[in-house]
Amino acid sequence: MTSRREGSSHIPETGETMRGIILAGGSGTRLRPITAVSSKQLLPVYDKPMIYYPLSVLLLAGIREILVISNPEHLDAYRRLLGDGRQLGLELAYAEQDRPRGLADALRVGREFVGEEPLALILGDNIFYGHALTEVLRTERERLDGCTLFGYSVADPERYGVAGVDDTGRITSLEEKPTEPVSNLAVTGLYFYDNEALDMAAGLTPSARGELEITDLNNLFVEQGRARMVTLGRGNAWFDTGTHESLLDAALFVRVLAKRQGVRLACIEEVAYHMGFIDAEQLGVLGKECGASSYGRYLRELAGV
């Protein structure tokens, strides 16, 4: 980013359409009891629902056709929150995942929605921030050939999927929660795939838990030499908000950005406006719908109303 605003306006469209999938299912057992009656991805992260954060990443990548996958009991809540997306210049659809079946199962559920296009899959509990994130996402979308993963250096790589990478960024190995990690490069919850990943996911053998593992899918691309890693280095932040501690850390980070720098991270209305999906008039309408909240006031000021 080049200013306190998130997103950039008048970004040219890429030549190929990409569909987006947000996986917002799961039982959120590590966050009990606060997930006992609510979907984890509807929990607040400072001033907005958690799902706003992955949704904003897809918007920054220029993706406007997005599928939200969740448990049957929570889908209506997402529909009430986000609607059909027209207010943001998007096309939103919804699909059920009746029980946790692995991250790669999202490609099975979303197959009809994706059609013949490439896709971006993002986990609904992941938060990304970076000064040049828009440019990185658009660049990687355009140069996609096979599979592109996004990595982040962590102090405890044994808790994550870990990648081995050569000097060109080609992934040489992937291992889930290794006891002896080959690097400290954790695989984040954002994945870009060519359309062939749909067939590859459909052909996966379920794990002992009966799930389609995303690492198994990604390793198929590694074997082909068509898996790349983009490392999110200095100036970037990544949170996997799956625990009480990480959820609090993310909320405090978002608050600091808002209070000290004036950055409203993952304000989807603002991102849609700066990406050219909606105009100032529609932004003002959305601000008024938020009432007297500081969030609504921010949108109205941005729209000049």
Side-chain angles (χ1 to χ4, degrees):
M1 293 185 297
T2 57
S3 72
R4 77 186 193 97
R5 307 298 190 187
E6 187 176 21
S8 303
S9 59
H10 308 301
I11 296 177
E13 290 292 327
T14 58
E16 187 173 24
T17 301
M18 175 178 270
R19 301 288 175 91
I21 297 177
I22 303 176
L23 187 53
S27 54
T29 54
R30 291 185 296 167
L31 287 170
R32 294 291 176 95
I34 59 176
T35 53
V37 296
S38 173
S39 173
K40 174 173 64 174
Q41 292 82 8
L42 291 173
L43 295 176
V45 179
Y46 185 51
D47 61 347
K48 61 187 71 69
M50 187 186 295
I51 196 171
Y52 275 37
Y53 295 86
L55 178 57
S56 71
V57 172
L58 297 183
L59 268 60
L60 289 172
I63 299 171
R64 303 176 69 169
E65 296 171 281
I66 298 167
L67 177 70
V68 177
I69 299 175
S70 189
N71 309 331
E73 63 267 31
H74 296 140
L75 273 180
D76 282 345
Y78 287 106
R79 289 190 180 99
R80 291 194 299 272
L81 176 67
L82 299 171
D84 61 9
R86 284 185 294 180
Q87 75 280 10
L88 296 170
L90 310 177
E91 294 182 22
L92 298 182
Y94 301 87
E96 296 181 1
Q97 187 183 51
D98 58 354
R99 65 176 178 83
R101 298 177 184 271
L103 302 185
D105 186 59
L107 277 69
R108 177 191 63 83
V109 175
R111 183 167 192 150
E112 182 177 350
F113 171 82
V114 173
E116 301 298 322
E117 310 296 343
L119 69 140
L121 171 65
I122 188 166
L123 305 188
D125 60 358
N126 273 220
I127 295 175
F128 295 86
Y129 170 75
H131 290 286
L133 185 58
T134 303
E135 290 77 11
V136 169
L137 294 171
R138 294 298 293 250
T139 297
E140 295 307 323
R141 172 182 165 180
E142 293 177 8
R143 69 184 295 185
L144 176 63
D145 178 18
C147 165
T148 298
L149 309 183
F150 296 81
Y152 192 81
S153 295
V154 296
D156 48 354
E158 64 278 357
R159 294 181 52 232
Y160 304 93
V162 174
V165 182
D166 67 17
D167 293 339
T168 68
R170 184 176 62 89
I171 299 173
T172 57
S173 67
L174 287 172
E175 188 175 1
E176 193 68 26
K177 297 181 180 179
T179 55
E180 297 182 3
V182 298
S183 75
N184 65 345
L185 197 58
V187 178
T188 69
L190 175 62
Y191 316 86
F192 284 3
Y193 294 113
D194 277 336
N195 188 265
E196 67 195 273
L198 297 173
D199 287 335
M200 295 165 70
L204 291 176
T205 300
S207 67
R209 298 181 299 174
E211 298 183 354
L212 300 181
E213 303 291 349
I214 199 75
T215 299
D216 291 344
L217 172 61
N218 295 336
N219 268 322
L220 294 177
F221 285 102
V222 172
E223 293 169 5
Q224 297 176 2
R226 298 175 61 225
R228 293 185 59 255
M229 173 67 74
V230 177
T231 302
L232 303 175
R234 288 176 178 261
N236 293 277
W238 169 62
F239 296 89
D240 176 358
T241 55
T243 66
H244 297 102
E245 292 77 12
S246 60
L247 183 61
L248 177 60
D249 288 343
L252 292 174
F253 178 80
V254 174
R255 181 181 184 276
V256 167
L257 285 178
K259 295 295 184 180
R260 295 186 182 179
Q261 300 183 28
V263 174
R264 290 273 181 166
L265 179 58
C267 177
I268 56 176
E269 299 87 353
E270 177 186 17
V271 176
Y273 172 59
H274 282 296
M275 294 294 291
F277 300 164
I278 60 175
D279 58 21
E281 181 180 0
Q282 180 60 24
L283 181 64
V285 170
L286 295 173
K288 291 177 182 177
E289 291 176 354
C290 290
S293 68
S294 62
Y295 190 91
R297 184 167 60 251
Y298 176 78
L299 294 180
R300 293 192 298 272
E301 290 175 355
L302 183 62
V305 297

